[in-house]
């Protein structure tokens, strides 16, 4: 919590707001339930007993990773709890929302991306689009409309693209080394950037996780990171391959190393550096300014005065 800039009092206020935020949302194929806080800062998610045990075991490793990578895209664990209810123990975790910088403003469109393609198409009525929707239609600006879509790859400024790839490489390599797979890249498309005040109180590097694009912004988060490559997942892959006839390359269940490679290959398919002449010229100017002494660099920011009307 300290590393994420969240004190206990703020955490408590967000958790209390869940009472007024409506019922839980079912979280995909896992069967977990999600309870978003009213202020958009937190999400409470139920865990299986296996996930709860994994988080307790791996918590020190995650803490070290977040310390070493303060701008990590993996959404932060802020607390793990359990309660005994109706004769069973229910485990749940409090997570920082991947879209917390935008507070209670919901994205116009959101995508859950894994890099696989078997059963990776959003269903009618679902609020989340998936890999095949992005591949087929491009990036949507409005959930229900195909009128304003941008085909992939989505062009980003070269420096922004390099940081995105480096951070996701670090995050996914960390998850691979822990034998974790089946995580997703949650991508939200917003019409406007988050308030400056929301970014100023965040750890160093948080502002660089906001991807400026097309007059709006995209916010990203790596979510659902507690699934290990287990015998159960091996069985799932075999069932889909040999019984259903699905191609193994397109099945989400895959060994951690293979999963990471496919995930990053898909990220490189979705995003690309902007190599247009205008972008290259901007990069050269910025690089040139950095080589100048501070006093000369400041002169480049001074614009000539506007000429008045001729007499």
């Amino acid at each position: 919590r300290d590393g994420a800039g969240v004190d206990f009092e703020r955490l408590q206020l967000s958790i209390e707001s869940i009472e007024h935020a409506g019922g839980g949302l079912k979280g995909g194929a896992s069967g977990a339930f999600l309870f978003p806080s009213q202020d958009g800062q937190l999400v409470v998610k139920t865990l299986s007993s296996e996930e709860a045990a994994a988080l307790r075991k791996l918590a020190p490793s995650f803490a070290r990773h977040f310390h070493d990578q303060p701008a990590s895209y993996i959404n932060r664990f802020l607390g793990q709890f359990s309660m005994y209810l109706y004769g069973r123990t229910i485990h749940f975790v409090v997570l920082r929302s991947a879209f917390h910088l935008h507070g209670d403003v919901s994205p116009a469109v959101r995508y859950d991306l894994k890099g696989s393609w078997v059963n990776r198409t959003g269903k009618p009525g679902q609020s989340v689009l998936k890999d095949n929707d992005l591949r087929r239609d491009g990036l949507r600006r409005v959930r229900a409309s195909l009128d304003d879509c941008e085909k992939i790859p989505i062009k980003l400024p070269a420096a922004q693209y390099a940081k995105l790839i480096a951070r996701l490489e670090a995050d996914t390599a960390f998850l691979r080394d822990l034998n974790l797979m089946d995580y997703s890249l949650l991508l939200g498309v917003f019409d406007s950037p988050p308030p400056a005040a929301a970014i100023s109180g965040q750890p160093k590097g948080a502002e660089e996780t906001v991807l400026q694009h097309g007059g709006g912004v995209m916010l990203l988060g790596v979510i659902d990171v507690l699934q290990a490559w287990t015998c159960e997942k091996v069985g799932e892959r075999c069932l889909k391959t040999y019984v259903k006839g699905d191609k193994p390359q397109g099945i989400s269940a895959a060994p951690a190393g293979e999963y990471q490679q496919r995930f990053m290959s898909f990220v490189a398919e979705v995003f690309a550096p902007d190599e247009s002449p205008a972008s290259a010229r901007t990069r050269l100017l910025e690089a040139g300014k950095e080589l100048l002494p501070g006093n000369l660099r400041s002169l480049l920011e001074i614009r000539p005065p506007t000429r008045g009307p001729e007499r």
Side-chain angles (χ1 to χ4, degrees):
R1 287 197 293 265
D2 291 342
V6 178
D7 58 35
F8 187 77
E9 182 178 352
R10 184 176 174 188
L11 177 69
Q12 190 173 23
L13 288 173
S14 290
I15 291 176
E16 289 174 355
S17 76
I18 293 174
E19 180 182 353
H20 310 288
L25 309 171
K26 191 172 182 180
S30 68
F33 282 88
L34 308 175
F35 298 86
S37 65
Q38 197 171 35
D39 60 6
Q41 295 296 307
L42 307 177
V43 175
V44 173
K45 180 186 177 183
T46 58
L47 299 175
S48 66
S49 56
E50 293 80 11
E51 288 175 323
L55 180 54
R56 288 194 297 271
K57 178 182 177 182
L58 298 175
S61 297
F62 277 103
R64 285 192 295 271
H65 180 72
F66 294 144
H67 178 270
D68 296 339
Q69 302 287 337
S72 166
Y73 282 110
I74 299 175
N75 62 341
R76 305 301 199 267
F77 302 104
L78 302 179
Q80 182 185 352
F81 308 90
S82 62
M83 61 182 178
Y84 191 73
L85 188 65
Y86 301 122
R88 58 176 295 194
T89 300
I90 299 175
H91 303 277
F92 59 96
V93 63
V94 180
L95 296 159
R96 173 153 241 179
S97 169
F99 304 142
H100 69 277
L101 290 176
H102 247 302
D104 58 359
V105 177
S106 298
V109 186
R110 69 181 74 198
Y111 291 87
D112 181 296
L113 307 171
K114 292 178 181 285
S116 53
W117 58 85
V118 174
N119 297 328
R120 296 300 298 166
T121 303
K123 296 178 181 178
Q126 287 186 336
S127 61
V128 180
L129 299 173
K130 298 183 179 180
D131 307 63
N132 294 339
D133 302 300
L134 185 60
R135 287 186 174 107
R136 181 189 64 234
D137 304 325
L139 185 73
R140 299 191 192 188
R141 309 273 181 203
V142 180
R143 171 66 175 85
S145 174
L146 296 176
D147 295 337
D148 187 18
C149 293
E150 178 182 352
K151 292 297 184 181
I152 60 174
I154 301 160
K155 296 297 182 69
L156 298 174
Q160 192 174 66
Y161 173 81
K163 289 179 180 179
L164 168 69
I165 295 298
R167 285 174 179 149
L168 286 176
E169 283 280 8
D171 285 341
T172 57
F174 164 74
L175 297 174
R176 176 203 62 208
D177 292 345
L178 294 179
N179 196 36
L180 299 173
M181 39 72 69
D182 214 14
Y183 43 86
S184 298
L185 181 68
L186 186 64
L187 187 157
V189 181
F190 292 83
D191 297 327
S192 59
I199 296 177
S200 62
Q202 301 303 312
K204 183 180 179 181
E207 71 283 354
E208 296 176 356
T209 65
V210 180
L211 303 183
Q212 307 285 342
H213 183 70
V217 300
M218 294 178 287
L219 297 182
L220 309 177
V222 177
I223 63 170
D224 299 337
V225 297
L226 293 176
Q227 178 60 58
W229 177 242
T230 60
C231 292
E232 181 182 353
K233 285 295 178 181
V234 173
E236 177 187 333
R237 185 180 176 92
C238 291
L239 175 66
K240 291 182 176 180
T241 301
Y242 298 112
V243 178
K244 295 185 176 180
D246 295 326
K247 291 184 177 180
Q249 300 91 334
I251 299 170
S252 292
E258 180 182 327
Y259 191 94
Q260 189 234 1
Q261 290 178 359
R262 184 180 61 193
F263 183 92
M264 289 307 303
S265 293
F266 184 59
V267 169
E269 182 183 336
V270 173
F271 299 102
D274 186 356
E275 301 294 351
S276 65
S279 177
R281 188 161 54 248
T282 300
R283 293 198 305 274
L284 285 172
L285 287 172
E286 291 299 321
K289 286 196 298 184
E290 290 301 318
L291 296 175
L292 293 173
N295 58 339
L296 291 179
R297 189 160 58 239
S298 63
L299 288 176
L300 292 178
E301 306 297 332
I302 302 175
R303 301 181 183 275
T306 304
R307 292 181 62 185
E310 295 186 2
R311 297 179 180 177

